[in-house]
Amino acid sequence: MIRADAPAKLEGRIRFGTDRTRPGMLWAALVPAPVAHGRIRQLDLDPARRAPGVVAAIGAAEERALLPGRGAEATPIFPGEIRYRNQPIAAIAARSLEEARAAARAVRAEIEPLPLLADLDSVLPGWPEEGLPADAPINAHVRARHGDVEGEFARADRVRRDAFRTSGVAQVPLEPHACIAWIEGEVWHVLTSTQSPFGVREDAGELLGLPPERLVVEGSWVGGGFGGKVAALVEPYALLLAAASGAPVRLALTYREEFQLTRSTLPARVWIASAVRGGHLTARTVRLLLDTGGSLPGRDFATGYAIAFLLGPYRLDAFEVEGYAVRTHKPPFGSHRAPLAPQCTFAADGHTDALARDLGVDPVAFRRAHVWTAGDRTALGQEVGPFGAAAALDRARALQEEWRRSMPAGTGLGVGLGYWSTGTGAGGEVRLSLTPERLTIHEGEREIGSGSVVRGLVAMAERTLGLPADRIVLEYGDTATAPYDAGVFGSRTLGALGQAVGAAAHELTAELGRRLGAAGPARLGVEGDELWAAADGRRSPIAQLLTPGERDHGGLLRTGRHYGRSGAIDPARVHAGEFYAYHDFTASVHLAAVQVDRETGQVTVLRYAAIQDAGRVIDPPTFRAQVEGGVAMGLGTALTEEMLWGPDGRLENPGLLDYRVPTLLEIPPIEVIPLEGFPGAGPEGAKGVGEPPIIPVPAAVANAVADATGVRLYELPLTPERVARALMAR
Amino acid sequence: MSGPDGSALVVNGRAHPIDGVPSHERLLDTLRGRLDLKGTKEGCRTGNCGACTVLVDGRSALSCLVLTHEVGDEPVTTIEGIAADPNGRRVQQAFLEEGALQCGYCTPGFVVALTGLLSESPGATAEELLTDLQGNLCRCTGYAAIVRAVRTLRAEGP
């Protein structure tokens, strides 16, 4: 099946956020903070105002004047206290981009430097066994436990303890953030490249103090998101500039700014200990220090859910998890394709793999013996639904034996087991309109590339109604016209909006069946140019089944909804902070074959297989493409991608030369193996697969390196330097 | 057609006067900003992503690293004009059939670069073509479907 957006994309006819313009548009530039932590004593915008072409120059004072109705407790858009290097402290709108940038350079700021917390180690040199200092910069503290942890460790016949470090990684969409803002009377508008128009309305509305009816967000085509375009980022600056200048304002990040300003996954330190008795994994304790950068207190979203991934998907008699979200002077932690799950899985699964090897047990069999199946409970007490991990491990074991026989000597094979909660609890809605010529799906999301909108939603309508894809049209609305949906994130689009399309389509078929006088629902089809409906041997053109009002005005309308839902955790197990209940438990089991150059430390991935718990595959080519893309991105996290910050809080590699994403010849052949039969809550039992395929990649690669060399790496990414050092230290 | 000083840029077979274009302007900005040819994508602007690839006299070039006035009278082909080249149409068809795109932002660069390679080295093997495509980054597909498209093209012959 050819994607509906493919011809236009191949011919260069698609307009992304960076391509959009408006008549009379001004160009914007941001003024970056020259320090990572400091207080702005004085901001002098006059040199910028006097510069050629400048129409507006705004900082904190102008922001306050432009937003008189905003509450006093609101977080300012332009800070008084700088929280990370390059944080925008002012913004310029000018008649050309060159003039805006020149004026941005002319802004003078008097800044009092404040003490800098560059990284986790400068805040806490290790896990704070004795508790935290009273003034520790902590955004969140989470702690949960259950069972006789100390007793299980005392009774254990084997205990293993490991410590891991993981790196900050960037989403690196090819299209940087870009938007255009304008004001029409009381209503502020922004057209933006986003994964979530309604999310931008919520975020930007809160920052600007605008109620939903005064802020309209329209999505453009998105040139890659990967989590980086879920939350508002550039929109509030552009909206303020539009208000200040009275003209439409375009703001696009430079590629350098894309690295410097996008909220992403930040470094973490992890400690894991497991207790084994009689070959059984009985207890696990984990500790997590997560760098959450310049996130504001109380705004941590990652620690409470990511920490559970460190326990792995295993039955445990006892456990304890404890973690701190640590504030440093970096941009805030943000969403990034399964945020922190690949890193936590690298630690948890690497630790489990090593533990099995300590015990002299096959690592796959060891996982298989302890992994959840339907009806088990997670450590936090949530019931696990249908979960394909055990079946996927069986496939992986068979595949591993086959590869072992055929691969050259010196090849290391590694299995990685990861899981994810897909679907999300957020709700969404779509509206279907059937006319004699076509079905239109009215909805609020734009395609970000994964195909979840242009294929996923259309495929659901095709399957439910029986119509071919070329008779199904997507009509994207803005936040004023489209039904609400939370956004394209959390591997939820097919499960949520796809479910909503299916529900609305079922109502259409039921109504058409009634109108045909049939007992059951109708199937639709095409004859000549016309759509027809048939049921129980009765058939009719759609034109004759519609009322005159429907024929003249909008067609036969039905709305479909998805209600977010999730399980429940046992609150008695939670001792501090917030933990989350999950949705569909979705397993990913990967197999990597690697060769390691013992002199240079270079790891080459020769061959790769990804077994993905899919519930039900709705559109095989889209499914395959998601898994392939996720694996490739995971190989970047595993091998090359690492944001490097200097002691002054400066990102030292804000570009593609120094921040290395995988190139074409670095990706091995990837065998994609769907696993069905463990249904999720999505349509026909589908589970989301946007995020899961990235999760086990660093674990599978590191486990394969350990298999090849006998040396285990405890820090991501597995750069040649780190691998060579580990080999030399042996 | 040319400007008062005679300088013109020939894009997809049409000449555009460029005498008003500043000497430091990049070909990428002239194409997108002045000629409204937005199919050529703006990515990193440092020559590292390949999204802005165009053909200059049939050879692939990163339009973010080429000054407009450097081009002289060599013809420029962008994604909007690539279908006029039989190789361009073949590449588009192979990408379409293999689904070798997702978000589509890198897609024009890949199509143009591969078209240029096929014209320049008609006998190149699939491996040689893939080696030469390394300068084009894709973050969505993991390159897997792009590799399949290149192999499909080679299986069809030069």
Side-chain angles (χ1 to χ4, degrees):
Chain A
M1 171 53 65
I2 286 165
R3 286 172 59 141
D5 57 348
K9 285 179 173 176
L10 285 161
E11 291 161 19
R13 291 187 281 114
I14 287 276
R15 291 292 171 262
F16 295 91
T18 48
D19 300 327
R20 301 293 290 264
T21 54
R22 276 183 81 83
M25 183 184 90
L26 302 174
W27 300 72
L30 300 171
V31 179
V35 298
H37 191 206
R39 200 177 318 280
I40 301 175
R41 287 219 179 278
Q42 209 196 334
L43 187 66
D44 183 6
L45 298 174
D46 285 340
R49 291 200 179 98
R50 287 193 298 269
V54 171
V55 180
I58 59 172
E62 292 74 17
E63 176 190 343
R64 284 189 294 274
L66 287 164
L67 303 173
R70 187 175 63 173
E73 73 294 342
T75 306
I77 294 165
F78 294 112
E81 182 185 326
I82 295 159
R83 289 181 294 129
Y84 53 95
R85 193 159 178 131
N86 298 310
Q87 182 175 15
I89 57 173
I92 312 291
R95 305 218 179 275
S96 73
L97 185 56
E98 276 189 359
E99 288 168 323
R101 294 207 175 131
R105 286 191 294 272
V107 170
R108 293 289 162 254
E110 191 186 310
I111 293 165
E112 174 197 348
L114 294 170
L116 177 69
L117 300 169
D119 54 24
L120 283 176
D121 291 356
S122 57
V123 177
L124 293 169
W127 180 257
E129 294 290 350
E130 309 301 322
L132 283 179
D135 59 347
I138 297 301
N139 278 343
H141 171 220
V142 298
R143 185 165 175 271
R145 64 175 279 147
H146 176 68
D148 180 13
V149 177
E150 291 73 16
E152 292 299 346
F153 272 86
R155 286 188 290 275
D157 49 41
R158 189 105 197 184
V159 170
R160 183 179 173 99
R161 296 175 196 281
D162 288 311
F164 297 86
R165 283 176 183 266
T166 64
S167 64
V169 286
Q171 296 92 349
V172 199
L174 268 282
E175 181 204 30
H177 284 74
C179 72
I180 302 175
W182 67 98
I183 315 285
E184 283 175 18
E186 289 289 292
V187 181
W188 297 32
H189 292 259
V190 65
L191 167 66
T192 184
S193 177
T194 181
Q195 295 174 241
S196 175
F198 286 95
V200 169
R201 185 178 73 171
E202 286 155 13
D203 291 349
E206 185 185 332
L207 285 166
L208 296 162
L210 291 175
E213 67 275 14
R214 287 194 53 208
L215 177 58
V216 177
V217 181
E218 180 187 348
S220 70
W221 286 92
V222 181
F226 314 109
K229 294 176 185 167
V230 170
L233 183 65
V234 288
E235 298 86 353
Y237 304 112
L239 285 160
L240 278 180
L241 284 169
S245 67
V249 173
R250 173 196 195 261
L251 173 59
L253 295 185
T254 66
Y255 219 71
R256 194 179 172 82
E257 288 170 333
E258 185 66 27
F259 278 97
Q260 291 167 333
L261 299 182
T262 306
R263 288 89 169 93
S264 190
T265 295
L266 295 177
R269 295 189 66 181
V270 168
W271 293 265
I272 308 184
S274 290
V276 175
R277 188 155 52 105
H280 287 283
L281 178 63
T282 54
R284 183 170 279 186
T285 63
V286 304
R287 308 276 181 257
L288 169 68
L289 292 181
L290 176 62
D291 189 337
T292 48
S295 306
L296 292 167
R299 289 295 178 97
D300 166 61
F301 75 94
T303 316
Y305 89 81
I307 200 166
F309 292 106
L310 292 169
L311 293 169
Y314 300 119
R315 289 184 295 272
L316 297 166
D317 298 327
F319 82 96
E320 182 175 76
V321 301
E322 186 165 20
Y324 293 102
V326 177
R327 208 150 59 235
T328 64
H329 295 109
K330 296 192 180 86
F333 187 98
S335 186
H336 177 137
R337 198 174 198 163
L340 214 64
Q343 290 79 10
C344 288
T345 302
F346 162 72
D349 196 62
H351 168 81
T352 308
D353 193 86
L355 181 62
R357 287 169 197 263
D358 287 352
L359 296 166
V361 181
D362 174 72
V364 181
F366 185 73
R367 292 181 185 89
R368 177 72 173 79
H370 296 93
V371 78
W372 299 326
T373 55
D376 281 336
R377 288 195 177 270
T378 70
L380 288 161
Q382 184 181 351
E383 190 176 331
V384 177
F387 185 55
L393 285 166
D394 290 341
R395 284 294 290 277
R397 201 174 178 192
L399 204 57
Q400 188 178 23
E401 279 164 26
E402 193 188 311
W403 286 17
R404 192 77 80 185
R405 286 193 295 274
S406 64
M407 301 291 287
T411 305
L413 297 184
V415 167
L417 162 63
Y419 75 101
W420 188 241
S421 156
T422 62
T424 84
E429 192 173 72
V430 298
R431 201 162 59 233
L432 301 188
S433 147
L434 181 68
T435 65
E437 298 81 31
R438 67 177 63 83
L439 177 86
T440 305
I441 304 173
H442 300 265
E443 55 88 30
E445 301 301 350
R446 295 306 300 251
E447 175 59 50
I448 67 168
S450 66
S452 62
V453 172
V454 297
R455 274 308 300 148
L457 302 190
V458 171
M460 283 313 301
E462 278 177 72
R463 293 162 83 94
T464 315
L465 298 171
L467 280 180
D470 63 4
R471 290 307 184 109
I472 301 168
V473 177
L474 283 162
E475 193 166 300
Y476 311 102
D478 59 32
T479 56
T481 61
Y484 181 88
D485 183 62
V488 179
F489 62 85
S491 305
R492 67 178 290 280
T493 312
L494 180 64
L497 276 192
Q499 188 84 286
V501 169
H506 277 299
E507 286 200 25
L508 277 180
T509 60
E511 176 63 18
L512 292 169
R514 275 193 292 279
R515 292 187 186 188
L516 281 165
R523 267 318 259 181
L524 276 70
V526 182
E527 273 180 43
D529 271 351
E530 273 192 312
L531 302 193
W532 283 64
D536 293 347
R538 299 158 188 259
R539 50 199 305 283
S540 165
I542 293 295
Q544 288 173 25
L545 295 175
L546 300 188
T547 66
E550 287 164 353
R551 272 201 301 275
D552 293 345
H553 303 287
L556 176 58
L557 302 173
R558 285 296 181 271
T559 298
R561 291 184 187 84
H562 162 80
Y563 300 96
R565 44 137 226 114
S566 56
I569 60 173
D570 177 359
R573 300 183 183 194
V574 175
H575 295 263
E578 252 189 291
F579 290 85
Y580 304 93
Y582 297 83
H583 315 287
D584 289 340
F585 288 94
T586 304
S588 308
V589 175
H590 289 191
L591 175 61
V594 306
Q595 266 184 345
V596 181
D597 184 317
R598 281 155 197 275
E599 283 178 25
T600 64
Q602 178 74 42
V603 176
T604 305
V605 183
L606 303 172
R607 192 174 174 186
Y608 205 92
I611 304 160
Q612 182 58 51
D613 181 11
R616 171 82 179 238
V617 176
I618 298 294
D619 192 57
T622 308
F623 169 83
R624 179 187 189 184
Q626 276 304 283
V627 177
E628 290 169 341
V631 168
M633 210 169 170
L635 288 171
T637 305
L639 294 171
T640 59
E641 294 185 34
E642 180 173 26
M643 299 175 91
L644 298 165
W645 289 272
D648 56 356
R650 186 198 304 258
L651 180 65
E652 292 178 338
N653 55 346
L656 292 167
L657 264 189
D658 300 313
Y659 182 95
R660 287 269 289 106
V661 302
T663 62
L664 193 146
L665 290 184
E666 289 161 345
I667 304 300
I670 300 165
E671 192 178 339
V672 176
I673 304 168
L675 181 71
E676 298 188 298
F678 301 90
E684 303 178 32
K687 292 175 174 177
V689 294
E691 290 160 304
I694 194 176
I695 294 172
V697 184
V701 172
N703 292 341
V705 169
D707 185 59
T709 63
V711 173
R712 185 162 292 278
L713 275 290
Y714 295 92
E715 185 166 2
L716 282 178
L718 276 57
T719 57
E721 183 184 341
R722 286 202 181 102
V723 174
R725 281 180 192 281
L727 289 171
M728 279 190 289
R730 177 167 56 166
Chain B
M1 187 171 93
S2 61
D5 70 353
S7 57
L9 183 71
V10 180
V11 182
N12 302 331
R14 272 189 63 192
H16 303 268
I18 53 163
D19 45 275
V21 173
S23 58
H24 62 272
E25 186 165 302
R26 307 175 191 207
L27 179 58
L28 171 67
D29 296 328
T30 303
L31 292 172
R32 288 174 54 84
R34 293 176 195 269
L35 308 185
D36 201 32
L37 294 170
K38 296 276 179 61
T40 302
K41 293 298 163 222
E42 179 175 1
C44 66
R45 295 180 70 86
T46 51
N48 304 117
C49 75
C52 67
T53 306
V54 298
L55 300 182
V56 177
D57 199 20
R59 298 170 61 97
S60 79
L62 298 168
S63 65
C64 74
L65 298 186
V66 174
L67 297 179
T68 302
H69 285 284
E70 272 183 297
V71 176
D73 55 6
E74 297 188 329
V76 175
T77 308
T78 69
I79 188 68
E80 290 89 350
I82 209 75
D85 180 334
N87 279 329
R89 272 203 308 282
R90 286 177 60 213
V91 170
Q92 285 172 327
Q93 190 60 29
F95 271 55
L96 191 70
E97 283 166 12
E98 294 295 345
L101 59 97
Q102 289 188 30
C103 84
Y105 206 77
C106 71
T107 307
F110 267 100
V111 170
V112 170
L114 186 53
T115 303
L117 291 172
L118 287 173
S119 306
E120 236 184 297
S121 328
T125 63
E127 298 316 309
E128 286 164 349
L129 293 172
L130 293 172
T131 301
D132 285 345
L133 278 176
Q134 278 185 96
N136 289 72
L137 298 182
C138 172
R139 193 62 158 164
C140 296
T141 64
Y143 306 102
I146 295 171
V147 171
R148 286 194 286 273
V150 171
R151 294 199 195 287
T152 303
L153 274 170
R154 276 298 74 155
E156 290 168 359

